[in-house]
Amino acid sequence: QVQLVESGGGSVQSGGSLRLSCTASGYINRRLCLGWFRQAAGKEREWVTSINSDGRTYYADSVKGRFTISQDNAKNTLYLQMNSLKPEDTAMYSCAAEPTWTCTRTYTYWGQGTQVTVSS
């Protein structure tokens, strides 16, 4: 079992920045794919970014160049640095984990989410 807890959400004006954190506990090993998803009100959940166990990163086109995923293995913490935020980035952001060497679209473990609101 892996438990995930997000933090760092909040309200920011368009063009601003936020850094989300996701702290993992439980059975942690290096064979983990970690990702961030978001869900805006009335919309389906959307994949944002992932990081492989080897450190390779992947981004949705909508956030490429603005968001950066990273991890601190010593702290069992995943980060999402979000810059140049836009109102359309407003959503509940959740982190997810899957015990696999290479990221796929399947994630078993999910956090509760943290709200990000971007005003124009």
Side-chain angles (χ1 to χ4, degrees):
Q1 289 286 337
V2 176
Q3 293 79 43
L4 304 170
V5 179
E6 303 94 337
S7 61
S11 297
V12 64
Q13 288 193 329
S14 182
S17 298
L18 281 174
R19 189 177 79 157
L20 306 183
S21 299
C22 172
T23 301
S25 60
Y27 182 67
I28 307 296
N29 60 50
R30 297 286 74 89
R31 188 177 63 92
L32 270 182
C33 168
L34 299 167
W36 287 98
F37 288 75
R38 67 185 181 186
Q39 186 167 19
K43 295 187 177 182
E44 293 188 354
R45 186 166 59 197
E46 172 190 25
W47 169 76
V48 176
T49 177
S50 298
I51 183 166
N52 260 352
S53 54
D54 63 2
R56 281 181 292 175
T57 58
Y58 308 89
Y59 296 93
D61 288 343
S62 59
V63 306
K64 201 171 294 184
R66 300 188 299 121
F67 290 12
T68 302
I69 188 172
S70 62
Q71 59 184 353
D72 184 334
N73 290 332
K75 296 181 179 180
N76 289 333
T77 300
L78 177 72
Y79 300 102
L80 181 63
Q81 178 67 45
M82 305 185 294
N83 298 328
S84 302
L85 282 162
K86 306 174 182 180
E88 51 264 43
D89 294 318
T90 295
M92 180 72 75
Y93 284 72
S94 300
C95 62
E98 177 65 19
T100 180
W101 289 114
T102 303
C103 289
T104 66
R105 297 184 180 274
T106 301
Y107 290 84
T108 300
Y109 303 104
W110 293 84
Q112 292 298 311
T114 185
Q115 179 68 35
V116 171
T117 303
V118 184
S119 57
S120 58

